[in-house]
Amino acid sequence: YRFLILIFLISVVSNQVAFSQNVAEKFNNAMDAYNKQLFADAHKIFESVIEDYGIEDEIYASARFYSANSLLKMGKKDEAASGFEFITNNVVWSKFREESLFTLGLIYFEIERYALSRKNHLLLIYQYPNSDYVGSAMYWIGESYAAEGKLDEAIDFLNQAIEDKSSNRFRDHSLYALAS
């Protein structure tokens, strides 16, 4: 009887090890495709990792993020937005949430959904006040207000973006937008 239990436990453990290697191998293949800019292939493989894996950890979050980013790189903004929305709403513990909020704000700005753009950038600013994206998020919030003709609000955010010298990659754009 003990022998049967031991055999059963060994088979369960070996199946788990094989499964883990299979998922890790798939993930590595997906990252290789992504790095080679084969985004359609990468997206497909990342999606299979997400389906097969089922454990919500950093590998799962990474697969979700890079799957959405692959869609974005293929120009599928609406589908990419859905992927990033999933991360921001459901994978709140991940290091990828912060970047997902920023990217989602950019996508919504590009498709002229300014209120949603601001919502995501404001969430980023309030939930990650030390983020490297804070200054840039303020710039995009200012631009979204300017696009809607809300100049007072635009000026406020553009001034804040200019003051944030450490995390605003768009500082010169902020100065130019404010001057305009």
Side-chain angles (χ1 to χ4, degrees), residues 162-179:
I162 291 166
E163 290 172 17
D164 188 336
K165 295 175 182 146
S166 64
S167 68
N168 184 0
R169 296 183 313 214
F170 299 95
R171 190 160 188 274
D172 8 342
H173 295 292
S174 302
L175 288 164
Y176 179 78
L178 187 59

Side-chain angles (χ1 to χ4, degrees), residues 78-150:
D78 289 332
E79 292 176 56
S82 294
F84 289 119
E85 283 282 0
F86 183 89
I87 294 168
T88 61
N89 295 328
N90 299 297
V91 193
V92 296
W93 43 264
S94 172
K95 68 179 182 174
F96 291 103
R97 184 171 185 267
E98 178 182 338
E99 189 171 349
S100 294
L101 284 167
F102 183 72
T103 304
L104 200 48
L106 294 178
I107 292 170
Y108 285 135
F109 182 87
E110 278 188 36
I111 59 176
E112 299 179 0
R113 297 185 70 190
Y114 300 120
L116 283 173
S117 175
R118 283 192 298 272
K119 174 193 151 228
N120 284 284
H121 284 147
L122 285 167
L123 273 172
L124 169 71
I125 291 167
Y126 293 125
Q127 292 179 358
Y128 301 94
N130 298 319
S131 171
D132 290 339
Y133 296 106
V134 167
S136 300
M138 284 190 264
Y139 163 72
W140 286 109
I141 292 169
E143 283 287 19
S144 73
Y145 277 126
E148 292 180 330
K150 298 176 181 176

Side-chain angles (χ1 to χ4, degrees), residues 37-92:
Q37 300 182 357
L38 302 170
F39 300 117
D41 294 340
H43 170 68
K44 185 177 178 181
I45 301 168
F46 282 126
E47 286 299 311
S48 79
V49 169
I50 292 164
E51 287 175 25
D52 292 347
Y53 196 52
I55 302 167
E56 291 193 7
D57 65 3
E58 210 53 38
I59 291 174
Y60 175 84
S62 298
R64 283 269 182 199
F65 178 81
Y66 285 107
S67 173
N69 219 23
S70 294
L71 289 168
L72 183 59
K73 302 246 185 219
M74 290 187 294
K76 298 180 177 185
K77 292 179 184 158
D78 289 332
E79 292 176 56
S82 294
F84 289 119
E85 283 282 0
F86 183 89
I87 294 168
T88 61
N89 295 328
N90 299 297
V91 193
V92 296

